[in-house]
Amino acid sequence: LLIRCLDSDLELDKNQIETGGSDELHTFKFNGDSFIKLEGEKTTLLQDDFTISVLVKPENVKLNENKDYDEFPILSIPGYNIGLFYNSFRRFFCQTYDVNKKPYSINSDIIGEAWVYLTMRYLDGKFISFFVNGELIETIEMTESILELSSDNIFIGVPNDKKENTSFLYGNIANIEIYDIGLEDSEIKE
């Protein structure tokens, strides 16, 4: 993204954020009622191939005993119905929908509250792949193209900004990367 901004001669906000020390991993901490909303203008970022990668560690997850299962959003793009999630079965998963609103989801094995790199890739207009720590979990083929709705917002730690939300992430996120290309397996592993 930085290279594309520089190539397009876009003015960049170069404010620096002070950090505690060079050996520390600096994170955003989510406590079950906080989230980040990234607002954007109409974009073509996810109209073709893309890759989304997040370094995340769920922590002190609060489960609701009145639900069959809990789902905690890590990253959500509601306009495209794309997301990376953690659930009460201690698994990570990615999910999206096609134009017929058919869901496509890939789950990890049980991992629990540990630091993991999650990567979701959309390739050739039909293949969804899910990687955990650079290792391919599965690739599935969509029967139709990916669903595109009206939002260009990206939410971190919550599915959307509706007031009735009860699904919030508990834990830490240290890195978020969104590419407008489908990275190669070797690039994801690196």
Side-chain angles (χ1 to χ4, degrees), residues 49 122-127:
D49 297 351
Y122 180 63
L123 195 59
D124 298 331
K126 61 182 173 183
F127 295 103

Side-chain angles (χ1 to χ4, degrees), residues 10-23:
L10 294 175
E11 186 176 323
L12 303 176
D13 179 357
K14 296 180 182 177
N15 291 336
Q16 293 191 6
I17 299 172
E18 295 300 318
T19 59
S22 60
D23 294 335

Side-chain angles (χ1 to χ4, degrees), residues 1-12 40-52 154 177-183:
L1 179 60
L2 176 62
I3 291 169
R4 288 187 6 243
C5 289
L6 293 172
D7 287 346
S8 300
D9 295 323
L10 294 175
E11 186 176 323
L12 303 176
E41 296 177 12
K42 266 309 197 195
T43 179
T44 59
L45 176 65
L46 302 180
Q47 289 183 350
D48 295 311
D49 297 351
F50 64 82
T51 306
I52 299 170
I154 299 172
E177 301 172 19
I178 301 175
Y179 301 89
D180 64 351
I181 60 170
L183 295 178

Side-chain angles (χ1 to χ4, degrees), residues 87-106:
N87 66 27
S88 54
F89 302 111
R90 299 179 300 156
R91 299 174 190 270
F92 295 95
F93 67 98
C94 70
Q95 184 170 309
T96 192
Y97 293 81
D98 69 19
V99 291
N100 295 323
K101 298 186 180 175
K102 177 183 174 185
Y104 295 85
S105 182
I106 304 172

